Amino acid sequence: MQSEIDVLKQFIGESSYIIFFGGAGVSTESGIPDFRSVDGLYNQKYKYPPETILSHNFFMSNTADFYEFYRAKMLCTDAQPNPAHIKLAELEKRGKLKAVITQNIDGLHQKAGSEAVLELHGSIHRNFCMACKASFDVDAVKGHTGVPCCNCGGVVKPDVVLFGEQLNDGVISEAISHIRKADMLIIGGTSLGVYPAAGLINYYKGNKLVLINKSQTPVDGSADLVINGSIGKVLNEVVL
Ligand code: ZN
């Protein structure tokens, strides 16, 4: 592992436009469950599978049941940034890292101090009224039971991309633009099996593609450096 860490340090030293692309593994190290993984929520017992509950159709038809699950399992507002979040925020402050692209919705990168964060799947911290588009913070959803409603009577919906919903085009374009410009792309905590991760990395044209993941991924063969390990532990080894 040490020789790989040394290469990682060397790559970072040589780079001035680093982009980090992170998956659920970045958040699981802060104790947030990954609802796509075998060890995650799918193994737990609910009346409906999480993928059903977290879908657009379920939200529209069973809004109260959606919120019961969402408050219990998705609103991890007590979670704290781990060494991966902290190191990435430091890299941004030093001008090395230009953006974090994340599939997570927990806001932990911002909590760690990162400013340029592209949230492909939205954020639990943003909510809006489906009728008048008024905005609400997470407390408006968290501190209540039942379906949160706006003063206008409209239902409040989290700004989170549910199954069956489209990703935000503006966020995707910005992510692609950053990846195209990147001289180093670090991908962490994702097995790259899920859209749009696998497609986005095709826009990278540099020669420092780094994969940090506990298990192998389908693109290990095309990476310039593969480190199998905890994203937090690995990034923590990088001394700036
Ligand atoms: Zn409203």
Side-chain angles (χ1 to χ4, degrees):
M1 172 92 90
Q2 193 51 47
S3 61
E4 282 101 347
I5 302 276
D6 288 342
V7 176
L8 177 64
K9 288 179 188 167
Q10 183 199 329
F11 280 4
I12 290 173
E14 292 166 0
S15 302
S16 56
Y17 205 113
I18 302 171
I19 297 299
F20 178 82
F21 185 105
V26 177
S27 288
T28 53
E29 294 185 20
S30 286
I32 293 174
D34 171 14
F35 61 88
R36 290 181 194 272
S37 90
V38 231
D39 298 323
L41 296 179
Y42 283 143
N43 274 357
Q44 302 176 16
K45 299 237 184 310
Y46 289 96
K47 205 162 137 195
Y48 304 93
E51 188 160 323
T52 300
I53 301 174
L54 297 172
S55 69
H56 178 78
N57 287 344
F58 193 87
F59 179 86
M60 300 306 284
S61 58
N62 301 57
T63 316
D65 288 339
F66 169 90
Y67 268 113
E68 190 185 335
F69 178 89
Y70 180 80
R71 286 194 182 96
K73 294 291 163 194
M74 309 301 285
L75 285 183
C76 303
T77 49
D78 293 332
Q80 293 302 320
N82 64 57
H85 299 105
I86 292 164
K87 191 62 70 170
L88 290 165
E90 280 177 34
L91 281 166
E92 185 189 52
K93 284 197 176 61
R94 303 225 171 191
K96 287 266 178 195
L97 183 128
K98 300 304 180 194
V100 167
I101 303 166
T102 181
Q103 296 179 291
N104 300 316
I105 58 173
D106 45 54
L108 286 179
H109 285 292
Q110 291 91 333
K111 209 171 191 176
S114 284
E115 289 178 19
V117 183
L118 295 170
E119 296 168 309
L120 293 173
H121 293 160
S123 172
I124 60 167
H125 295 280
R126 293 187 301 269
N127 304 273
F128 62 93
C129 169
M130 292 177 78
C132 75
K133 305 293 174 201
S135 304
F136 298 89
D137 65 15
V138 70
D139 292 334
V141 170
K142 196 178 184 182
H144 303 270
T145 53
V147 177
C149 284
C150 177
N151 287 338
C152 83
V155 170
V156 174
K157 184 179 182 294
D159 187 8
V160 165
V161 180
L162 301 176
F163 290 104
E165 293 179 340
Q166 298 290 319
L167 301 191
N168 182 302
D169 283 340
V171 177
I172 293 273
S173 314
E174 218 179 319
I176 290 172
S177 163
H178 274 302
I179 290 172
R180 279 197 169 124
K181 285 186 244 173
D183 52 10
M184 177 174 185
L185 177 62
I186 307 175
I187 299 173
T190 170
S191 54
L192 287 167
V194 183
Y195 174 84
L200 278 177
I201 67 165
N202 291 331
Y203 292 96
Y204 177 65
K205 300 299 173 206
N207 59 2
K208 298 187 196 79
L209 175 60
V210 180
L211 297 179
I212 306 171
N213 201 46
K214 282 180 180 166
S215 55
Q216 292 185 325
T217 79
V219 292
D220 281 6
S222 47
D224 300 292
L225 174 66
V226 177
I227 305 180
N228 288 129
S230 140
I231 182 76
K233 279 186 191 150
V234 170
L235 288 183
N236 206 34
E237 294 285 319
V238 177
V239 180
L240 300 173

